[in-house]
């Protein structure tokens, strides 16, 4: 075995490989995304600046890092699952708050969707369920999620409000 990359100082909560490029995506426990080009051994993208590591760094530096109790949710856990679409143009990111983020792998940026955030929610629940799995259809027009409450949700990529002049979105 040969080490291709090291330096992540936190747990990795999810990993996904690009279907055609030499990219691997990591969801890091502090709540950030990193895409690594394993052939060129370079960062393709990372959003470390958005990571929620401030509270954890304070705990570690002061020696106060506490063990979590069962049922406790760590503030800095954010992304729970990753999946590239079949064509590799988008990375779907399941979050621990029940939302799904869409990352444009070609533009190297998160997408802002016209219809708003994608989310799986139950208005009667106070605590959202984490997305634990994303499955994309072979045609690339659908994806399904499952969450910690055994709920399955199906999403379709289509023109917004059926208007063919608008771009296709989830």
């Amino acid at each position: 075995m040969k080490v291709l990359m090291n330096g992540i100082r936190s747990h990795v909560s999810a990993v996904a490989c690009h279907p055609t490029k030499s990219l691997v995506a990591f969801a890091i426990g502090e709540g950030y995304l990193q895409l690594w080009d394993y052939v060129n051994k370079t960062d393709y993208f990372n959003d470390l600046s958005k990571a929620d590591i401030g509270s954890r760094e304070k705990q570690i530096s002061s020696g106060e890092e506490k063990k979590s109790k069962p049922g406790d949710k760590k503030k800095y856990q954010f992304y729970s699952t990753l999946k590239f679409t079949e064509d590799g143009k988008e990375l779907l990111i399941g979050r621990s708050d029940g939302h799904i983020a869409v990352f444009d792998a070609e533009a190297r940026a998160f997408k802002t969707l016209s219809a708003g955030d994608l989310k799986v929610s139950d208005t009667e629940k106070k605590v959202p369920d984490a997305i634990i799995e994303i499955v994309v259809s072979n045609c690339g027009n659908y994806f399904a999620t499952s969450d910690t409450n055994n709920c399955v949700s199906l999403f379709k990529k289509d023109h917004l409000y059926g208007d063919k002049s608008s771009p296709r979105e989830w």
Side-chain angles (χ1 to χ4, degrees), residues 14-169:
V15 176
C17 291
H18 194 280
T20 59
K21 295 181 181 178
S22 59
L23 296 176
V24 62
F26 299 97
I28 310 302
E30 275 83 13
Y32 81 96
L33 176 68
Q34 180 173 13
L35 276 75
W36 176 258
D37 183 332
Y38 55 84
V39 169
N40 297 315
K41 298 179 181 153
T42 58
D43 241 352
Y44 182 80
F45 172 85
N46 80 57
D47 63 348
L48 180 59
S49 62
K50 295 180 182 180
D52 182 21
I53 59 177
S55 60
R56 185 165 186 239
E57 284 177 342
K58 279 183 185 175
Q59 289 176 348
I60 292 171
S61 65
S62 65
E64 296 178 16
E65 188 167 26
K66 298 173 185 172
K67 294 198 176 211
S68 61
K69 298 173 190 167
D72 282 355
K73 288 193 177 187
K74 294 179 183 176
K75 181 180 177 186
Y76 53 86
Q77 287 183 352
F78 192 73
Y79 303 136
S80 51
T81 187
L82 303 171
K83 179 70 176 176
F84 278 100
T85 55
E86 294 299 313
D87 60 6
K89 291 181 179 178
E90 295 175 323
L91 177 65
L92 303 170
I93 305 166
R95 299 182 350 186
S96 59
D97 63 358
H99 286 74
I100 299 107
V102 181
F103 180 80
D104 185 329
E106 293 175 344
R108 301 179 192 195
F110 284 90
K111 285 188 170 185
T112 303
L113 303 176
S114 302
D117 283 353
L118 296 176
K119 61 183 172 181
V120 179
S121 66
D122 183 348
T123 55
E124 295 178 17
K125 296 181 79 172
K126 293 181 181 176
V127 179
D129 295 307
I131 305 296
I132 56 173
E133 187 172 6
I134 297 175
V135 179
V136 181
S137 67
N138 290 339
C139 67
N141 291 327
Y142 301 91
F143 76 88
T145 65
S146 64
D147 65 26
T148 52
N149 195 36
N150 301 320
C151 178
V152 174
S153 298
L154 180 64
F155 294 86
K156 179 181 180 182
K157 189 170 200 171
D158 205 351
H159 299 283
L160 189 63
Y161 306 116
D163 179 5
K164 301 275 186 204
S165 64
S166 64
R168 291 181 70 226
E169 294 184 1

